[in-house]
Amino acid sequence: MSVALRDYADAAGPEVIDALERLARPLRGRRVVHVNSTRVGGGVAEILARLVPLMNDLGMDAGWEVIEGTQEFYGVTKTFHNALQGVPVTPTPRGLEVYDEMNRQAARTIGPALADADFVFIHDPQPAAILRHLPSRRGRWVWRCHIDVSRPHRPVWKFLRPIVAPYDASVYSMAAFAQPLPHPQYIIAPSIDPLSDKNRPLEESEVSSVAARHGLDPSRPVVVQVSRFDRFKDPIGVIQAYRIAKRHLPIQLVLVGGTATDDPEGDAVLAAVREARADDPDVHVLLLPPDAHREINALQRRASLVMQKSLKEGFGLTVTEALWKGKPVIGGRAGGIVLQVVDHHTGFLVDTPEGAAFRMRYLLNRPNAVALMAEKARRFVRENFLLTRHLREYLTVMLAIDSGGGDQVEVA
Ligand code: UDP
């Protein structure tokens, strides 16, 4: 679907669109190129698919290139990914050579498009070494790191640090995710797209038919958690919280997860969830395909409240998605959840299943408080976590590095 910036006026507010146009004025005609490692699949590709057209819509000459790699290359970069998030794994010397060679080849194939660009955003570690194979680059290069590199496995960081240090700037999703590097560092939080299938408004009839298809009783409250079946998302803790609250309230629980067949951990967690569910007909464990965006949208809208009881979390886009739909979120005190769940305003932060159960009862017994929180939740996302804010921050970073990395940007 092709979207234009003006399509976002309803969701974000017309003044936000005007501000973006003003901010982008000095950048009109400038060449911007994003580079990542896949055109489909994963949050980065999803964001670029929207961000690049919107940059063009604002008058920039924006493009998107992809580094091509062999299976061996992706194996190495997956090891980087795990190691940067703290897992003690290191690629073999041969793997490191493959990584460098793929980047050298990319410098030959897509390099000419990058050498002339005014701004190049290199996303994550996969294409990061292109820069060192392009000595003739002209514009500003930014390493956009989407993962938590705050506690990397040291040998891998020792390899990557000299690769990313020569960039003009780097960008992280949260301050806590960054590493010290010898250039300006910026924070840009992720965002959701209010026009995507996952987040667009749905007819009430679609919401109720999805709920009915999954066997939910329309007359009773529903608590929903959408998450991969991963221990850090604590689905068992959610079931424990539900059991405690269920003594007092006729609730139904929906745990929505993916059909991740290549993840042995995921299978084990799913088996544990099924065991914990026992034969409770009010606990619905749903395995949906990865493109079931509208269905997840409908289930989030059907929820009386949403849980995200993570023990560890990156940013927690499921929290943003729920708040945008006006659902108070009971969230684990972890990662980006604490940026989004403002205690007593957009939801509650909890540390234990007992705490979560207590907050479930609190919310389900107070429809007026929920209505107030719903309003605040939606406004909070509108002001902070929509794609339009994301775009604004990209523009601001471009203006800042263009003017020499100062900490003030003058807008005409
Ligand atoms: N999601 C999905 N299907 C699932 C589980 C998750 O589409 O079965 C989506 C969810 O709606 C959200 C994203 O995957 O958009 C998960 O992002 P989040 O930041 O919450 O967690 P991550 O999986 O990246 O740790």
Side-chain angles (χ1 to χ4, degrees), residues 26 29 58 64 84 88 98 122 142 144 168 216 225 230 236 241 244 261-262 285 339 405 411:
L58 282 168
W64 174 8
L84 290 177
V98 168
I122 296 287
V142 179
R144 197 330 175 187
D168 297 298
L216 296 175
Q225 173 159 304
D230 179 321
I236 304 289
I244 301 169
T261 46
D262 58 345
V285 179
L339 294 181
V411 182

Side-chain angles (χ1 to χ4, degrees), residues 140-381:
R140 308 280 188 175
W141 281 55
V142 179
W143 185 50
R144 197 330 175 187
C145 176
H146 295 268
I147 53 188
D148 177 356
V149 291
S150 57
R151 286 197 191 82
H153 179 47
R154 283 288 148 192
V156 169
W157 182 242
K158 226 175 129 187
F159 174 79
L160 277 174
R161 193 181 187 281
I163 291 175
V164 296
Y167 279 70
D168 297 298
S170 51
V171 174
Y172 305 87
S173 296
M174 286 178 67
F177 288 0
Q179 272 291 325
L181 283 166
H183 54 225
Q185 294 179 283
Y186 300 94
I187 308 303
I188 301 185
S191 63
I192 57 164
D193 183 342
L195 304 185
S196 67
D197 278 346
K198 182 68 71 53
N199 296 306
R200 57 190 285 188
L202 294 181
E203 297 290 338
E204 196 46 51
S205 57
E206 181 169 352
V207 173
S208 41
S209 83
V210 169
R213 186 149 31 88
H214 290 296
L216 296 175
D217 175 351
S219 66
R220 290 189 288 138
V222 175
V223 172
V224 171
Q225 173 159 304
V226 178
S227 276
R228 291 177 293 108
F229 288 102
D230 179 321
R231 283 184 204 289
F232 290 130
K233 308 285 185 181
D234 200 19
I236 304 289
V238 175
I239 294 179
Q240 287 167 349
Y242 152 86
R243 287 255 151 77
I244 301 169
K246 177 88 174 180
R247 291 184 209 138
H248 311 274
L249 292 160
I251 49 178
Q252 310 168 78
L253 174 65
V254 179
L255 292 170
V256 189
T259 45
T261 46
D262 58 345
D263 179 1
E265 266 276 299
D267 285 346
V269 174
L270 181 58
V273 165
R274 287 193 163 131
E275 196 180 321
R277 171 189 182 263
D279 50 5
D280 186 339
D282 281 337
V283 178
H284 302 261
V285 179
L286 307 183
L287 286 177
L288 299 183
D291 60 351
H293 302 306
R294 275 181 91 111
E295 207 163 348
I296 289 179
N297 184 345
L299 290 163
Q300 287 168 328
R301 287 182 192 279
R302 171 61 183 87
S304 317
L305 62 89
V306 165
M307 302 276 308
Q308 191 54 58
K309 220 199 97 23
S310 307
L311 306 169
K312 272 198 169 189
E313 190 53 81
F315 181 70
L317 280 173
T318 53
V319 174
T320 333
E321 290 159 8
L323 296 176
W324 177 241
K325 293 167 183 109
K327 306 299 170 180
V329 173
I330 298 177
R333 204 182 302 276
I337 296 177
V338 304
L339 294 181
Q340 304 185 69
V341 173
V342 183
D343 244 343
H344 290 271
H345 293 278
T346 63
F348 291 103
L349 289 171
V350 296
D351 301 288
T352 60
E354 292 75 13
F358 177 73
R359 292 312 190 185
M360 273 187 207
R361 289 181 62 197
Y362 176 95
L363 287 169
L364 294 172
N365 285 321
R366 288 173 184 75
N368 292 343
V370 168
L372 268 177
M373 287 169 102
E375 190 46 46
K376 287 188 194 174
R378 209 177 141 77
R379 198 166 62 231
F380 192 64
V381 173

